[in-house]
Amino acid sequence: MIGLFKVKEKQREEAKNTNSRGASVKKQSAGELRLHKDITELNLPESCTISFPNGKNDLMNFEVTIKPDEGYYKNGKFVFTFQVSSVYPHEAPKVKCITKVYHPNIDLEGNVCLNILREDWKPVLNINTVIYGLFHLFTEPNYEDPLNHDAAAVLKTNPKQFETNVRRAMGGGYVGNTSFPRCI
Amino acid sequence: MADLEAPQSKSRDLDKLLLRAGNLVGPDFYPGTEVKALISQLSIVSSSFSDFVIRLLSLRVLVVGAGGLGCELLKDLALSGFRNLDVIDMDRIEVTNLNRQFLFRLEDVGKPKAEIAAKRVMERVSGVEIVPHFSRIEDKELEFYNNFNIIALGLDSIEARRYINGVACGFLEYDEDDTPRRETIKPMVDGGTEGFKGHARVIVPGVTPCFECTIWLFPPQVKFPLCTLAETPRNAAHCIEYAHLIKWHEVHGGKSFDPDEPEHMKWVYDEAVKRAELFGIPGVTYSLTQGVVKNIIPAIASTNAIISAACALETLKIVSGCSKTLANYLTYNGGEGLHTKVTEFVRDKDCLVCGPGILIELDTSVTLQKFIDMLEEHPKLLLSKASVKHGKDSLYMQAPPVLEEMHRPNLSKSLYDLMGRVQKDTVHVFGTALKNEEKQSSLTKLRVVFKGADGVADMDTAIGA
Ligand SMILES: [Zn+2]
């Protein structure tokens, strides 16, 4: 194996040539490459749009806007932030809902209870799957995995009341003591 | 020459390995004092040494990480005769390190690990020169890493391993016939421990699988469902994660949690205790809180020692050739009884990090648009709707429309200019490829070489232009 070091001087010369490039080209992470591929392959329903607030040089942080076209949340507009780390897809993206929403699976701080974002994340999943998962939360909110207790209890026992509450919240009103911004 | 060595030499045992031939030695092993000098960088270069050895006297080893494993590695390498070591670590010493990071003392708490580790080993092992780097690995220029002949990794994160692997594989170059060029190979020896378990592996980029080829060896860390944390905590870790992931944001709003800030950690601990009391769950302690939040699995000093010893020996074997190297992944499990096994993993020939990629020769005048069109025609690629990435820069993205628009102006520029007027470099292309008459998503590495551009001269004109 000593042969590896035989041509050390030659390597030095090589280094001189690569030097200029080393400075200009920043190392990309394998995660970043995979993310870029994921992004070009997005195949989203019309109700979901993606945007890049930091421009084309930062695709690791982006926003997804979901406007459900059916269900309790029809015509609402909900914005999620995605933070993707350099270990993606080894780790799931970090997702937060920055629109305050009355929802059994999203708490008032924007934490989202979606299995594929935590316990069921697999590297074969991608950004598209996550966005579909979020979209699904609005068409079929689920009282069995509650993050917002109260909303889950109402959905379970009185769906009519739940619907009224959702409408009120999206219209910029109060549900109980909590005020919600208008998002419709 | 062996009998010239003092019989009481502290390297008596090493001499047996390095000064004698044997049946298990590597193909290029030349026993003798020359090889020993090569490793230990004897300060007096004997006139009897050949040019070959004198050239080799600049052998340098980088140790990445000065934690539990890093301390062991530095000590082991120094005692194995290595004389020129560097160590890089961004952390400062904490009280909780002292049980296993044996180079540190109570009075060192708060000081950079790399600096203290280097100092302590130099105090104890005469003749060794260790240069500490108190720095993030990402903050060093790529050329810094090219100064070393071999890199030993004592890390605890996948992220850091992936980074160093990318850097080391980045130096690898291939000949026209896709054989790796020996002089560009930067071998790595990687150790890792988790409690009673550990691994040691040898990565020779282009020859053995790199970290990325076998990324599946590290399954994603299992995370608790948020709703379990919020609704039905069943153990101490659930209470801690509740305080860390949910309660923190509820109380502190936008202020982000910093795991290295003791006050933040204390706050999470206090909240976790309250939560545990509420649900009647025992077992929340401050160190468990740190462990859960930082995802630390308790480290065991002896496991570190075993894994480090294996890594140090592999390093010695790679540079001296005194024995064949580990092929290529050793797992150690001391949890129930003792089990150790070596598995020879194979390379992913299409690995985006260590693979040769497809060689493409271009004129310097070729525009990005033309290049993308060529990819569709290229028999090995047949890639339609290609997006192109060069290092951190995306040169073109086909979708979504908002990004396509931002990159569109690049299409009419020459690829040579877009790539910073270098004579050759790697780009990655992705899109839809036609394979076996079927369209499938594809991500491929290309080695682009520009005809008629010879690096230096063109750099000058580029600056002049
Ligand atoms: Zn690889």
Side-chain angles (χ1 to χ4, degrees), chain A residues 144-160:
Chain A
E144 277 165 6
D145 297 325
L147 267 187
N148 179 337
H149 265 308
D150 301 341
V154 176
L155 175 63
K156 186 175 181 183
T157 55
N158 189 350
K160 264 264 150 303

Side-chain angles (χ1 to χ4, degrees), chain B residues 165 169 208-214 347-348 350-355:
Chain B
N165 181 69
C169 292
T208 70
C210 83
F211 190 72
E212 213 66 42
C213 290
T214 54
R347 287 178 64 208
D348 172 0
D350 298 324
C351 177
L352 296 173
V353 177
C354 73

Side-chain angles (χ1 to χ4, degrees), chain A residues 1 5-6 9 11 19 26-28 32 36-37 40-41 86-87 90 109 112-113 118-119 149, chain B residues 55-56 143 158-159 162 166 183 218 220 223-227 231 250 318 389 391-392 428 441:
Chain A
M1 200 60 81
F5 309 118
K6 270 184 184 165
E9 270 167 15
Q11 188 186 356
N19 238 339
K26 279 246 172 72
K27 199 85 213 149
Q28 72 176 331
E32 202 179 330
H36 281 213
K37 179 167 176 279
T40 56
E41 289 175 357
S86 65
V87 260
H90 196 77
E109 317 305 319
V112 183
C113 187
R118 295 188 59 83
E119 72 274 21
H149 265 308
Chain B
R55 242 186 290 141
L56 289 172
E143 265 323 297
I158 291 170
E159 198 169 356
R162 263 186 130 173
E183 69 274 19
F218 295 82
K223 294 192 168 166
F224 308 123
L226 280 184
C227 32
E231 287 293 300
E250 225 172 274
I318 290 174
K389 202 159 182 292
K392 260 194 153 1
H428 290 94
S441 148

